[in-house]
Amino acid sequence: MADEALVVIDLQNDFCPGGALAVAGGDEIVPLVNDMIRRTDHVVLTQDWHPAGHSSFASSHPGAQPFSTIEMPYGPQTLWPDHCIQGSLGSDFHSGLAWTKAELVIRKGFRPAIDSYSAFFENDHTTPTGLAGYLRERGIDTLTLVGLATDFCVAFSALDAVKQGFRTTVRLDACRGIDLNGSLETMLAKMRDAGVTLEDHTSG
């Protein structure tokens, strides 16, 4: 299993119930993710890591409402409630997550003028995080993605992983989605079409 890695996407307090951008049931996946971490040799975590006043926050645009969309230099951008501000409790990993085994934590969204959903690229789709190079240098070519949220950071990461040549699986039972205006079905279809393997081990 040395050529495989588990990538845990944004399992942070602000994306869990009670957080600033809570994904329904976000905390439910923690025991399953922990089990997968225990059974995987190589674990990578991503951490949303925004400076205060980030350009993707609705509060940075007078009169704008959260979950509305504006046009940024790199394309359309959903505006979010303030979340995962660097060093805040909301940016911490969920307290139940067995994250200590992680060999790498990729922080994303730290550039004030651009948001970052994918573990591999900023939202301009050209500025790399360095993750692909790290994985290649370590001889890892197969990835399983879990975490939050299915239709945003997980999906964008999976699509980029395939583009970068990695064999990519998303464990849907270890993810939870936001489903903004039908985004869940849209992104599931995009992942399927791109060649991402979608697995759901939910019993019954």
Side-chain angles (χ1 to χ4, degrees):
M1 305 288 275
D3 57 353
E4 295 184 20
L6 177 68
V7 183
V8 181
I9 306 284
D10 296 0
L11 201 38
Q12 295 164 260
N13 289 327
D14 267 348
F15 295 125
C16 290
L21 185 47
V23 180
D27 52 349
E28 296 169 1
I29 64 174
V30 171
L32 176 55
V33 172
N34 285 346
D35 193 42
M36 294 174 75
I37 288 172
R38 276 191 288 275
R39 290 185 282 112
T40 308
D41 288 340
H42 303 298
V43 179
V44 173
L45 269 60
T46 69
Q47 187 175 24
D48 226 23
W49 195 248
H50 296 305
H54 192 271
S55 62
S56 70
F57 294 166
S59 61
S60 300
H61 304 271
Q65 291 301 308
F67 308 110
S68 60
T69 303
I70 62 164
E71 202 60 38
M72 297 287 263
Y74 51 85
Q77 171 67 51
T78 300
L79 295 180
W80 305 105
D82 293 24
H83 66 280
C84 295
I85 292 170
Q86 295 168 353
S88 69
L89 188 62
S91 70
D92 286 351
F93 295 119
H94 185 282
S95 60
L97 182 66
W99 60 267
T100 53
K101 190 178 173 183
E103 298 171 348
L104 177 73
V105 175
I106 287 276
R107 285 179 166 158
K108 59 193 183 61
F110 54 77
R111 293 177 175 86
I114 186 167
D115 205 6
S116 182
Y117 296 156
S118 169
F120 293 91
F121 291 97
E122 306 286 335
N123 280 7
D124 60 2
H125 307 296
T126 56
T127 305
T129 64
L131 178 56
Y134 171 87
L135 293 169
R136 283 197 197 102
E137 195 167 322
R138 298 202 52 206
I140 292 167
D141 61 11
T142 303
L143 304 178
T144 298
L145 274 62
V146 299
L148 306 171
T150 316
D151 41 341
F152 283 92
C153 295
V154 173
F156 279 81
S157 298
L159 292 169
D160 281 343
V162 168
K163 275 190 203 133
Q164 293 296 306
F166 295 98
R167 283 196 296 276
T168 307
T169 298
V170 171
R171 272 287 296 272
L172 293 174
D173 49 327
C175 300
R176 289 293 183 273
I178 296 176
D179 203 14
L180 196 58
N181 305 320
S183 55
L184 191 55
E185 204 41 61
T186 300
M187 295 312 289
L188 289 174
K190 277 191 178 172
M191 286 193 281
R192 267 189 219 103
D193 292 348
V196 177
T197 301
L198 300 177
E199 289 185 6
D200 190 334
H201 293 202
T202 308
S203 55

